[in-house]
Amino acid sequence: MSMAKASSRLARAWTRFRLGQGCWRRFSSVRDDMDLITTQIVDDVAVVRFLSPEGQFSWGTRVWEHRINPSLIKQVNKSLDAAEDAGAQALLVTGDGKFFCNGMDLQYISANVNQSTQIQTDAEKLMCRILTLGMPTVAALNGHITAAGAMLGLSFDKRLMVGDSKSLFFVPGIDIGLVYSAGMTELMKSKMPLAMWTDVLCMGKRYQSDELRKYGIVEATPPAGELFDAALELAKSLRSKGKDEKTRDTMRGIKNNLYK
């Protein structure tokens, strides 16, 4: 079963369950086209931040989960455009709240089943763009990275993750009946040591930040109050690898071959 079809079926089943159990929690509505991201240049580093306002979209997803939907994909691409246009020498992406990215927006897919294949394609293109961006990229993982959100986090060159026991990394395909695409599978294999492949992909094992550091998935696990500053310092230390147009073209070419 394709990821798009499985996501659609799962989203519908999950919605029916929640309605049947009376588990919906009401949040104030927000504009579906609201700004989800801020972008600024700090010492030649493009700093992109996923905002975390209270409220939910019209289709029910809580904004602060930073789930992958057309709005998030469009705004992240816009931020990457801005970074490249400004000649940024490195990229840093972080988020507010307890989620970095909680995976695909299944409620959006449930409400827009006819778009499921396109959303899957656009999500993979975004990950590919980050994976091969012509400058060093750093993710400051402020909270959970799950499912497609875990893959998004793995797309960066370097990662730091908040050092607490509540923030988790996992890919629950086996638990929700979803076979990830060949591209997403290869992305995860390229970023994780062989010793993790079976546990992550086949068993859906959950990892805390300290475990990820032991496996080399994250560089460091600072406290929440120190995460951004530590990630920014790391991004600054990498600026020489994106210092000018020629260097950025070289970086892009190397990454394209590395992750072909």
Side-chain angles (χ1 to χ4, degrees):
M1 180 181 296
S2 72
M3 181 175 179
K5 289 181 179 177
S7 296
S8 300
R9 189 176 71 175
L10 173 67
R12 290 194 296 270
W14 183 82
T15 299
R16 288 195 299 270
F17 171 78
R18 292 295 296 272
L19 287 171
Q21 295 293 314
C23 293
W24 284 113
R25 179 181 172 190
R26 299 299 300 172
F27 292 91
S28 59
S29 295
V30 299
R31 295 191 344 264
D32 293 349
D33 62 346
M34 73 175 296
D35 291 334
L36 305 173
I37 293 171
T38 61
T39 307
Q40 58 180 324
I41 305 298
V42 179
D43 295 333
D44 295 316
V45 176
V47 177
V48 177
R49 182 178 293 274
F50 296 168
L51 304 178
S52 189
E54 288 292 334
Q56 64 185 27
F57 297 109
S58 62
W59 55 88
T61 298
R62 298 173 296 189
V63 179
W64 38 272
E65 291 189 32
H66 309 140
R67 285 185 176 266
I68 299 173
N69 56 40
S71 294
L72 186 71
I73 293 171
K74 179 180 179 180
Q75 292 189 39
V76 173
N77 273 313
K78 184 177 179 181
S79 293
L80 297 180
D81 289 342
E84 292 181 318
D85 291 344
Q89 297 173 18
L91 173 75
L92 168 60
V93 178
T94 190
D96 295 331
K98 68 177 183 178
F99 293 98
F100 180 78
C101 180
N102 202 22
M104 298 294 286
D105 192 336
L106 299 180
Q107 287 179 262
Y108 183 91
I109 293 173
S110 178
N112 299 274
V113 176
N114 63 321
Q115 297 181 32
S116 59
T117 300
Q118 188 61 53
I119 293 170
Q120 168 72 16
T121 299
D122 291 344
E124 291 200 27
K125 286 182 177 179
L126 175 61
M127 293 177 199
C128 183
R129 184 178 182 186
I130 295 172
L131 191 68
T132 60
L133 202 67
M135 65 185 78
T137 60
V138 177
L141 304 173
N142 54 289
H144 299 309
I145 49 171
T146 67
M151 301 170 211
L152 180 65
L154 289 174
S155 300
F156 292 82
D157 296 324
K158 304 282 186 178
R159 285 158 296 282
L160 290 79
M161 190 171 186
V162 62
D164 65 47
S165 61
K166 296 179 181 179
S167 297
L168 299 173
F169 164 95
F170 63 95
V171 180
I174 187 62
D175 299 316
I176 59 179
L178 195 155
V179 178
Y180 291 110
S181 71
M184 286 183 163
T185 301
E186 290 301 321
L187 166 61
M188 288 185 280
K189 287 168 60 180
S190 73
K191 293 290 186 165
M192 298 187 304
L194 177 60
M196 291 182 71
W197 289 5
T198 298
D199 282 341
V200 172
L201 292 168
C202 299
M203 305 303 173
K205 181 178 176 179
R206 298 186 174 207
Y207 293 81
Q208 297 174 352
S209 56
D210 286 345
E211 295 175 280
L212 295 178
R213 184 176 184 179
K214 291 177 183 178
Y215 280 109
I217 303 299
V218 299
E219 304 286 319
T221 56
E226 300 174 16
L227 175 67
F228 177 77
D229 289 342
L232 182 59
E233 286 305 308
L234 176 58
K236 288 180 180 179
S237 74
L238 300 172
R239 287 176 296 185
S240 65
K241 308 306 179 185
K243 62 185 177 182
D244 53 35
E245 186 175 352
K246 181 179 179 180
T247 307
R248 291 190 287 274
D249 284 344
T250 302
M251 173 71 79
R252 188 177 297 106
I254 290 171
K255 289 180 179 179
N256 272 309
N257 286 336
L258 178 61
Y259 300 117
K260 187 174 183 179

